[in-house]
Amino acid sequence: MNFTDTIILVGAFVGIFSIPLIRLSQYIKAHTRNAHIKTAMDWAGQAVSYVSGTEVSSDQNKEQAIATLTARIKANGLAKNFTDEQIKFYINQAINELNKEVK
């Protein structure tokens, strides 16, 4: 086998396996992102449940829950994966879920 044949063979392997490897990489990234979101939603529910038992107004509860979730996300090294708006959204979702359970 000469050098040209080797290059063609290597090129064929790269061509054949590049698309599945790219798709696998995309799947892993999406799966990881979904796991981060699920974890944040679980923590948001815990934060809302925790502060809802205190004797402060609902706006204060919401801000405390946001602060609690933000601190937990940062403590677990996930801060780069979430914006402040996303954290507020997760808290609002958790509040809505808690309100559904109460009704």
Side-chain angles (χ1 to χ4, degrees):
M1 182 178 274
N2 62 27
F3 183 71
T4 305
D5 291 339
T6 305
I7 291 180
I8 291 172
L9 185 61
V10 169
F13 278 119
V14 169
I16 291 170
F17 292 110
S18 65
I19 292 175
L21 289 175
I22 290 170
R23 296 244 168 91
L24 177 63
S25 173
Q26 291 170 340
Y27 170 78
I28 291 170
K29 287 178 185 178
H31 179 73
T32 302
R33 180 67 181 152
N34 288 341
H36 287 161
I37 290 171
K38 183 181 180 319
T39 300
M41 287 299 298
D42 290 342
W43 290 346
Q46 292 170 1
V48 168
S49 294
Y50 171 72
V51 298
S52 68
T54 61
E55 297 297 325
V56 293
S57 69
S58 63
D59 286 341
Q60 288 175 331
N61 278 351
K62 186 175 176 181
E63 292 303 317
Q64 186 178 0
I66 290 169
T68 301
L69 179 56
T70 301
R72 193 160 183 192
I73 286 173
K74 286 180 182 177
N76 284 278
L78 298 174
K80 66 180 180 185
N81 297 310
F82 299 99
T83 65
D84 291 340
E85 290 78 26
Q86 288 172 320
I87 291 171
K88 289 177 185 176
F89 174 79
Y90 299 141
I91 293 296
N92 286 331
Q93 288 292 106
I95 290 170
N96 291 338
E97 287 298 316
L98 186 63
N99 287 338
K100 286 181 189 176
E101 291 175 11
V102 172
K103 291 181 182 180

